[in-house]
Amino acid sequence: MEYSKEFKAALSNFSSIEKDRLIFRLLKKDKLLSKKLYFELIDTETVDQKRTQMEEIIEEKVLFASKYLSNPKYFLVLIRKLSAEVTEHIKITTDKFGEVSLHLFLINKILDHNNKLNHQRFDEVYKLHIYLINKALKALTLVKKLDEDYWIEIDELLEDLEDKINDNRYLQKLCLNNSVNLAWLRCDHIPEDLDVIIKDIKSQGFLK
């Protein structure tokens, strides 16, 4: 929504008390904005510290969710909720590195349970694995937006991911069947037009 000059001028004419009241009313309705402002104005913790905390939360909650691996649908529900927490962290802190690293970290923690995943029926874990592939591809499209100084750390996560994909027969099969090239799991091997490639793959009915 665009605001006219007249509307902006009218807001500027509010008294300090009126502006404060308006701000607090808006913050009550927008919890995410409230958390973002708190982080930017008051919070003494850095983005790096918040990211480390998020990694600890991911480890803890994936471990808890793993108790429900025998119920893949519910397991995926728990993982989606956890992913939403990661997204909230990113929006609050504007953590560009974490936008890539945390999602790759989440995928790797899930795939730490490959032994159990490999013993499920393919149709039962299909949606989970497609979800993980799409999440990994999204992270790859964001890598090129990062400073290359971060690539070493990202490559460590990608190397771990490649090893775990190779240890997961379903993921291997789905990557092959959906034209996902594991060679992309290196920062300097990610195609510049990966987003276009993914769009083309999806237009053919894959990655769904």
Side-chain angles (χ1 to χ4, degrees):
M1 178 179 178
E2 292 189 12
Y3 302 108
S4 66
K5 292 181 180 179
E6 293 78 10
F7 181 66
K8 292 178 181 178
L11 288 177
S12 296
N13 289 330
F14 279 6
S15 68
S16 295
I17 294 175
E18 288 173 320
K19 287 179 181 178
D20 287 346
R21 287 174 180 169
L22 179 59
I23 288 171
F24 286 118
R25 282 177 60 190
L26 292 173
L27 289 178
K28 283 183 179 179
K29 294 182 179 181
D30 193 333
K31 292 182 179 180
L32 184 62
L33 176 59
S34 181
K35 291 178 180 179
K36 183 174 179 62
L37 286 176
Y38 182 88
F39 173 73
E40 293 176 352
L41 300 174
I42 298 175
D43 205 325
T44 58
E45 294 181 323
T46 65
V47 174
D48 288 348
Q49 289 172 321
K50 291 289 188 184
R51 187 188 311 120
T52 299
Q53 289 176 13
M54 197 68 240
E55 289 175 353
E56 292 170 356
I57 290 170
I58 289 171
E59 283 197 86
E60 178 186 335
K61 293 197 172 184
V62 170
L63 182 61
F64 171 80
S66 68
K67 298 175 183 177
Y68 299 94
L69 275 167
S70 58
N71 185 346
K73 288 184 180 179
Y74 184 59
F75 177 75
L76 183 53
V77 168
L78 294 176
I79 294 304
R80 287 183 184 276
K81 286 182 179 179
L82 178 53
S83 180
E85 289 186 48
V86 175
T87 299
E88 182 176 280
H89 157 84
I90 293 162
K91 289 180 178 178
I92 291 170
T93 62
T94 319
D95 184 5
K96 295 300 182 183
F97 174 67
E99 190 171 13
V100 178
S101 69
L102 287 173
H103 282 113
L104 292 176
F105 184 81
L106 171 59
I107 297 168
N108 282 331
K109 287 301 169 184
I110 293 168
L111 296 181
D112 279 342
H113 301 281
N114 266 338
N115 286 339
K116 290 183 179 179
L117 290 171
N118 278 328
H119 286 89
Q120 302 275 7
R121 288 210 327 258
F122 180 67
D123 61 315
E124 290 180 335
V125 293
Y126 174 83
K127 287 187 177 180
L128 170 65
H129 286 85
I130 286 292
Y131 173 79
L132 295 179
I133 291 172
N134 277 301
K135 185 168 285 293
L137 289 173
K138 176 62 176 178
L140 291 179
T141 63
L142 297 172
V143 168
K144 295 293 186 179
K145 298 179 182 180
L146 293 175
D147 190 291
E148 290 189 16
D149 290 343
Y150 290 116
W151 284 14
I152 293 176
E153 293 176 73
I154 296 299
D155 269 336
E156 289 176 1
L157 290 165
L158 291 175
E159 184 177 354
D160 191 18
L161 176 58
E162 183 177 11
D163 289 341
K164 287 173 179 175
I165 289 175
N166 286 327
D167 285 337
N168 185 309
R169 53 183 178 147
Y170 297 141
L171 268 178
Q172 277 186 305
K173 179 179 179 180
L174 284 171
C175 285
L176 179 63
N177 291 348
N178 287 273
S179 302
V180 175
N181 191 341
L182 295 187
W184 297 341
L185 299 179
R186 292 290 181 278
C187 290
D188 57 356
H189 290 174
I190 300 172
E192 293 290 344
D193 60 342
L194 181 58
D195 54 340
V196 176
I197 294 173
I198 294 170
K199 186 176 180 179
D200 181 57
I201 292 172
K202 289 185 175 181
S203 71
Q204 298 176 53
F206 297 107
L207 296 173
K208 297 178 182 178

